[in-house]
């Protein structure tokens, strides 16, 4: 696998030469609603009130077959406001950060293009060929949900878009993985060796984070529900994250995006019945440990975490049934709550006679491998984590 650095994103180009006005004039417009039956959703997507398709969780996206000479997409972008410390004034300043997508052809592991979605609405060239060709096209959002959102509203094509039926039939037989986690699962800061750097979307590449790496190793399909800073608990005492716990988001298709345009009464529950994974990898507890440490009342914090972790396992079984194997994982930054996770998993196994729950500890971050932004795992560590997890999953009877 070629290891792409952050700067490489801007150097990957296609040979599309037309501009926006030419694309609108010469290419057929195909709304997402008109071709929705030809689009295979990857992960938790949902249709917005205006008929566009939100694809926001890490590595979430669409797949389809394109036959023709040129393809572009009209995409709406929603930036995130990031806070950063000004070294000169020692004051926090706000700045925008925009989401990124990656475009893949056929079975290619390397994207043919990385694109920053940096406008409220814009047409982005995706592909062009001298003569008509037929390819499976995959578009994935490689940055996390909370750090900017995208809504795919329209394709502009010299050619046609059809459903990848044969590919879908093959994929339906593949192992299906679901990853639930925090910044480590998102790939926060994995593309830069700068432990003091704050969040920059260009530094986050979910396709080179351990969930995608493990899925490729196992030739599996996967989806991700993760967010930087998220925890199992809301915290205790005066130190509580402003972000709600994972239990607030997990039952829904994309509560973060839906709350941009909808009221609570319109929130869309995820279609669990038709998307039951074979394996759920739960990697939460790192941020909980931080809150417990800040509060100082360690025993009370641990007790609350264990109670909330148990309740979240109940939620996973409530929505997914008893079929998936649940891996209660932790790492690769902090292992303070790993004993608690093992205790909860053991108790849950006993209470429900559930033999499809196990625990797994990722290898810790190695300084020699480099540290990403805010001391998060660099891409080298993320790749190793994916390989470790894939090796462990192969030992399970799933």
């Amino acid at each position: 696998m070629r290891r792409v650095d952050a700067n490489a994103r801007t150097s990957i180009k296609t040979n599309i030469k037309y501009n926006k006005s030419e694309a609108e004039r010469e290419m057929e417009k195909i709304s997402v609603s008109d071709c929705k039956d030809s689009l295979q959703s990857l992960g938790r997507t949902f249709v917005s009130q205006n008929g566009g398709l939100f694809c926001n969780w890490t590595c979430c996206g669409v797949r389809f077959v394109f036959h023709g000479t040129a393809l572009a997409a009209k995409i709406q972008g929603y930036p995130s406001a990031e806070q950063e410390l000004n070294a000169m004034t020692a004051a926090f300043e706000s700045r925008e950060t925009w989401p990124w997508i990656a475009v893949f052809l056929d079975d290619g592991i390397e994207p043919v293009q990385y694109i920053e979605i940096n406008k409220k609405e814009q047409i982005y060239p995706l592909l062009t060929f001298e003569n008509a060709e037929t390819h499976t096209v995959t578009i994935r959002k490689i940055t996390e949900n909370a750090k900017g959102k995208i809504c795919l509203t329209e394709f502009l094509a010299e050619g046609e878009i059809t459903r990848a039926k044969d590919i879908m039939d093959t994929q339906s037989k593949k192992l299906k993985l679901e990853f639930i986690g925090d910044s480590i699962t998102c790939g926060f800061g994995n593309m830069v060796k700068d432990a003091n750097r704050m969040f920059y979307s260009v530094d986050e590449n979910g396709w080179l984070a351990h969930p995608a790496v493990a899925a490729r190793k196992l030739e599996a399909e996967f989806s991700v529900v993760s967010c930087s800073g998220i925890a199992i608990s809301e915290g205790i005492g005066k130190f509580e994250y402003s972000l709600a716990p994972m239990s607030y988001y997990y039952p829904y298709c994309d509560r973060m995006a839906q709350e941009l345009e909808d009221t609570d009464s319109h929130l869309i529950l995820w279609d669990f019945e038709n998307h039951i994974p074979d394996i759920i990898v739960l990697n939460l507890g790192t941020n909980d440990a931080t809150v417990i440490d800040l509060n100082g009342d360690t025993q009370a914090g641990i007790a609350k975490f264990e109670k909330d972790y148990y309740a979240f396992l109940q939620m996973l079984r409530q929505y997914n049934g008893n079929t998936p194997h649940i891996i209660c994982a932790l790492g690769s930054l902090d292992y303070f709550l790993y004993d608690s996770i093992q205790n909860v998993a053991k108790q849950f196994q006993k209470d429900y006679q559930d033999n499809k729950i196990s625990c797994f500890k990722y290898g810790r971050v190695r300084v020699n491998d480099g540290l990403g932004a805010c001391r998060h795992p660099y891409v080298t560590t993320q790749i190793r984590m994916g390989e470790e997890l894939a090796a462990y999953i192969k030992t399970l009877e799933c």
Side-chain angles (χ1 to χ4, degrees), residues 177 179 209-220 385-387 389-390 393:
L177 311 176
F179 292 84
H210 69 272
V213 173
R216 290 197 291 277
K217 279 282 184 182
L218 296 167
E219 297 184 347
M385 290 173 66
E387 293 170 346
L389 179 64
I393 288 175

Side-chain angles (χ1 to χ4, degrees), residues 305-334:
F305 172 79
E306 291 183 354
K307 177 182 177 182
D308 292 344
Y309 199 98
Y310 189 99
F312 192 70
L313 289 180
Q314 290 177 312
M315 175 179 282
L316 292 181
R317 285 295 184 225
Q318 174 190 348
Y319 286 110
N320 297 284
N322 296 321
T323 300
H325 186 104
I326 301 174
I327 300 174
C328 300
L330 195 62
S332 56
L333 287 180
D334 188 296

Side-chain angles (χ1 to χ4, degrees), residues 49-65:
Q49 292 180 345
N50 67 3
L53 189 70
F54 272 105
C55 308
N56 292 312
W57 296 107
T58 303
C59 289
C60 186
V62 293
R63 180 179 290 133
F64 53 91
V65 170

Side-chain angles (χ1 to χ4, degrees), residues 3 190 193 208 369-370 377-385:
R3 298 179 182 179
N190 64 333
K193 282 187 177 180
L208 292 178
D369 287 340
Y378 181 60
V379 64
T380 305
T381 302
Q382 286 281 2
I383 290 171
R384 175 166 51 83
M385 290 173 66

Side-chain angles (χ1 to χ4, degrees), residues 182-318:
D182 49 35
S183 56
I184 300 170
T185 299
C186 294
F188 181 107
N190 64 333
M191 300 306 293
V192 61
K193 282 187 177 180
D194 187 347
N196 297 315
R197 187 162 179 169
M198 301 297 285
F199 183 87
Y200 289 77
S201 59
V202 71
D203 300 333
E204 183 178 76
N205 188 337
W207 186 244
L208 292 178
H210 69 272
V213 173
R216 290 197 291 277
K217 279 282 184 182
L218 296 167
E219 297 184 347
E221 288 292 296
F222 74 105
S223 64
V224 178
V225 182
S226 63
C227 176
S228 291
I230 205 163
I232 283 286
S233 298
E234 289 186 88
I236 58 173
K238 63 180 180 179
F239 292 107
E240 296 192 7
Y241 285 109
S242 58
L243 189 67
M246 180 57 77
S247 57
Y248 179 81
Y249 298 102
Y250 184 76
Y252 301 96
C253 185
D254 186 352
R255 187 166 188 164
M256 290 184 183
Q258 290 161 17
E259 288 182 337
L260 289 177
E261 63 170 23
D262 298 338
T263 62
D264 285 352
S265 62
H266 295 113
L267 291 175
I268 303 169
L269 285 168
W270 175 234
D271 182 8
F272 289 95
E273 183 176 350
N274 291 310
H275 297 88
I276 297 177
D278 297 301
I279 296 174
I280 298 172
V281 182
L282 174 61
N283 187 7
L284 289 174
T286 301
N287 292 313
D288 295 271
T290 301
V291 173
I292 291 170
D293 186 48
L294 289 172
N295 275 285
D297 192 346
T298 303
Q299 293 307 311
I302 290 175
K304 177 173 176 54
F305 172 79
E306 291 183 354
K307 177 182 177 182
D308 292 344
Y309 199 98
Y310 189 99
F312 192 70
L313 289 180
Q314 290 177 312
M315 175 179 282
L316 292 181
R317 285 295 184 225
Q318 174 190 348

